[in-house]
Amino acid sequence: MRRPLGGLPLALALGCVLVGCARSKPKQEPARTHQRTVAAAKQRPETERVSPKLAQVGHDPHWSPDPEDTAYEPLVGWPNPKPWPGPGTAPVVSTWAGSVIGGPGGNTRETMLFFGIYAMTFDAAGNLYVADGPRIQVIAPNGAVGEFKHATLEAVSFVPTSMAFDHQGNLYATDYQAGLFKFAPNGEASVVAAGKFGAQALHQPQQFERAWGLAVDAADNVYVSDQEANVIKRITPAGDVSTFARGFDEPEGLAFDGGGNLLVADHRANCIQRVSPSGQVTTLIRLLKGNILPAELAWHPSGAIYFSAQQLYRLDPDGTCTVLSPANQGTTGYIGHDLGHTRFLNAGEIAVDRAGDLYVSDFGSNTNGSPCGIRKVAFQAGSWPR
């Protein structure tokens, strides 16, 4: 998710400039037109284009597809989400962590201050790790807040783009300029693979153009989306780097489903892709309207895929796609209620805890007093999609 670090207090902003960390992610390019997106879709090899349950959807209920294209369906649930199984079962959304930008910071999750949430992941103990600019904050299940102290990477400016744990308790993190790094539980840091701008500084061979999304499989192989090279790289526990899958268009978020398939938020292709363990790519859904650009995603134990594109969406196993939060109609701030009546300002990172509840970062700017925090989507009994 591309989010600027704008709005920092002057003292912190100057400090970040001095240490080289006040670096925003690349600016989002203008969305592609419908015609260009359709043309790009038709150029894909047939084996990589569609699954049998492909749902090609548009965000605007009044939008009509090109007459030559016959497989498009309106986005289910727009403007009203797909109903939940019964009364009182809709998940409840609340602000779980973070206060208003510019407000007082604190040592509890309700009062802590975020300047820009770039990545989130849970460890095996249920602690949520949050990349807040160059800092990695840790929120314990009881609400206590700490900071993950790791060795300083002297040669590069390190701002995590994505994070994930392996089964040994090591934290992996990408920096889109510097590359891929590993942090041992004691904070010891090591370079796994260097990026375009980190190779020279780290005296390592370049392995990435722009390292972005990150996921770890059951065998502790690490997968990284290279947003500029449009490939997914795989790094073995021994450190061997290879291309796992290719043919994407600015791939961003990565996650594994329950069957060991890698899910990819293919940002500029407006797609959610699935890559089998053998590397075969299948398109699960193509979102034809250019303003729905998938950024981050997470697999839910119910079998659904949740993904962000400013608002929150759900892709069910049967191929149904639902927008779960109304579009932000130019209003400021966050409106919370049950899911389906909640508006995010800018939904970004997504993490799932052991109970199956979702945690979604919501990014704003202090120029209008918008909150920057983490929203919890708490599922009630019977509320998982059928």
Side-chain angles (χ1 to χ4, degrees), residues 24-47:
S24 63
K25 294 189 179 182
K27 293 182 179 179
Q28 181 168 312
E29 299 176 12
R32 293 183 176 183
T33 63
H34 163 62
Q35 289 80 9
R36 289 183 62 193
T37 305
V38 170
K42 290 179 177 178
Q43 290 173 3
R44 286 178 176 266
E46 189 65 32
T47 56

Side-chain angles (χ1 to χ4, degrees), residues 42-350:
K42 290 179 177 178
Q43 290 173 3
R44 286 178 176 266
E46 189 65 32
T47 56
E48 296 184 2
R49 276 183 57 192
V50 299
S51 71
K53 290 181 179 282
L54 172 65
Q56 296 185 301
V57 302
H59 196 284
D60 185 345
H62 304 296
W63 169 78
S64 297
D66 187 310
E68 296 181 1
D69 302 308
T70 59
Y72 310 142
E73 302 173 4
L75 182 62
V76 175
W78 178 265
N80 298 310
K82 178 181 178 181
W84 299 94
T89 61
V92 175
V93 183
S94 61
T95 298
W96 185 75
S99 59
V100 174
I101 291 183
N107 57 3
T108 65
R109 61 178 172 83
E110 295 87 356
T111 60
M112 67 190 302
L113 179 63
F114 295 110
F115 292 103
I117 300 173
Y118 282 178
M120 300 193 308
T121 191
F122 280 100
D123 68 9
N127 300 296
L128 181 63
Y129 284 62
V130 182
D132 181 17
R135 297 186 302 169
I136 300 177
Q137 301 205 63
V138 184
I139 308 174
N142 65 3
V145 176
E147 186 172 346
F148 178 61
K149 300 292 186 180
H150 57 79
T152 303
L153 298 166
E154 301 288 353
V156 295
S157 166
F158 176 69
V159 179
T161 309
S162 187
M163 301 187 299
F165 280 93
D166 68 11
H167 297 84
Q168 312 306 315
N170 299 301
L171 177 64
Y172 286 86
T174 55
D175 176 291
Y176 77 90
Q177 291 186 340
L180 175 65
F181 301 87
K182 181 172 76 172
F183 300 94
N186 64 1
E188 180 182 347
S190 58
V191 181
V192 179
K196 179 188 296 185
F197 298 102
Q200 183 174 359
L202 297 167
H203 305 290
Q204 298 269 353
Q206 179 184 333
Q207 300 287 358
F208 303 108
E209 296 293 325
R210 187 187 295 165
W212 204 270
L214 178 62
V216 181
D217 69 12
D220 283 342
N221 296 298
V222 179
Y223 297 76
V224 176
S225 60
D226 192 326
Q227 195 197 46
E228 189 170 317
N230 295 318
V231 300
I232 307 297
K233 295 287 186 75
R234 177 170 57 193
I235 302 93
T236 68
D240 297 325
V241 182
S242 61
T243 297
F244 175 63
R246 61 178 71 248
F248 305 97
D249 193 352
E250 290 193 12
E252 292 198 1
L254 301 179
F256 278 97
D257 67 13
N261 302 295
L262 183 65
L263 306 172
V264 182
D266 200 351
H267 185 73
R268 292 283 286 163
N270 297 62
C271 291
I272 303 297
Q273 311 271 25
R274 183 179 64 203
V275 189
S276 70
S278 64
Q280 182 176 357
V281 180
T282 301
T283 299
L284 297 181
I285 188 168
R286 188 180 305 284
L287 303 149
L288 288 180
K289 289 297 284 184
N291 61 334
I292 310 180
L293 300 173
E296 304 297 335
L297 50 70
W299 182 80
H300 191 266
S302 65
I305 300 168
Y306 288 83
F307 65 93
S308 62
Q310 287 196 302
Q311 296 304 313
L312 186 64
Y313 297 79
R314 186 186 71 224
L315 177 60
D316 291 330
D318 65 1
T320 301
C321 185
T322 305
V323 56
L324 297 175
S325 51
N328 188 343
Q329 302 295 334
T331 59
T332 59
Y334 147 82
I335 299 174
H337 201 272
D338 57 56
L339 192 58
H341 298 88
T342 292
R343 180 167 59 235
F344 295 92
L345 184 69
N346 191 355
E349 309 300 323
I350 307 174

